[in-house]
């Protein structure tokens, strides 16, 4: 697995209407599966590319995941966004 294939999943928080990290360091198929699981729960999720492996084990505490989640919105595609 190369670092360019790693993915982060962010999910929309209905209270803040902003995205929050849900998982990181995933292979594409696992990231898509997780996003579909959230979709099945009527929660909006996005799969984002990671430029490097995130060292923090908890995506909620991960600085890189927080930054990615902040840039993910419904109107702007970031360079890291691969699916919505």
């Amino acid at each position: 697995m190369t670092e360019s294939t790693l993915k982060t999943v962010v999910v929309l928080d209905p209270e803040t209407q902003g995205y929050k990290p849900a998982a990181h360091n995933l292979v594409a198929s696992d990231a898509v599966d997780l996003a579909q699981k959230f979709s099945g729960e009527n929660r909006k999720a996005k799969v984002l590319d990671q430029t490097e492996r995130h060292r923090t084990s908890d995506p909620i505490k991960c600085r890189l995941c927080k930054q990615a989640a902040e840039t993910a919105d419904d109107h702007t595609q970031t360079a890291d966004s691969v699916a919505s």
Side-chain angles (χ1 to χ4, degrees):
M1 169 176 42
T2 64
E3 290 181 355
S4 64
T5 63
L6 295 175
K7 307 294 182 191
T8 296
V9 176
V10 295
V11 65
L12 187 65
D13 181 335
E15 291 181 21
T16 66
Q17 290 300 304
Y19 285 90
K20 304 282 184 178
H24 64 178
N25 297 331
L26 299 175
V27 296
S29 59
D30 290 344
V32 170
D33 289 346
L34 182 58
Q36 288 176 340
K37 177 183 173 214
F38 283 124
S39 179
E41 297 170 356
N42 292 322
R43 298 179 71 193
K44 187 167 184 163
K46 290 188 176 194
V47 177
L48 309 173
D49 282 332
Q50 288 181 216
T51 56
E52 61 188 55
R53 177 172 282 281
H54 297 181
R55 294 181 186 165
T56 306
S57 62
D58 184 354
I60 294 170
K61 296 178 182 177
C62 178
R63 178 183 52 83
L64 295 171
C65 285
K66 288 179 185 179
Q67 289 173 345
E70 288 173 2
T71 62
D73 66 39
D74 293 331
H75 306 291
T76 305
Q77 288 291 323
T78 66
D80 290 337
S81 181
V82 294
S84 57

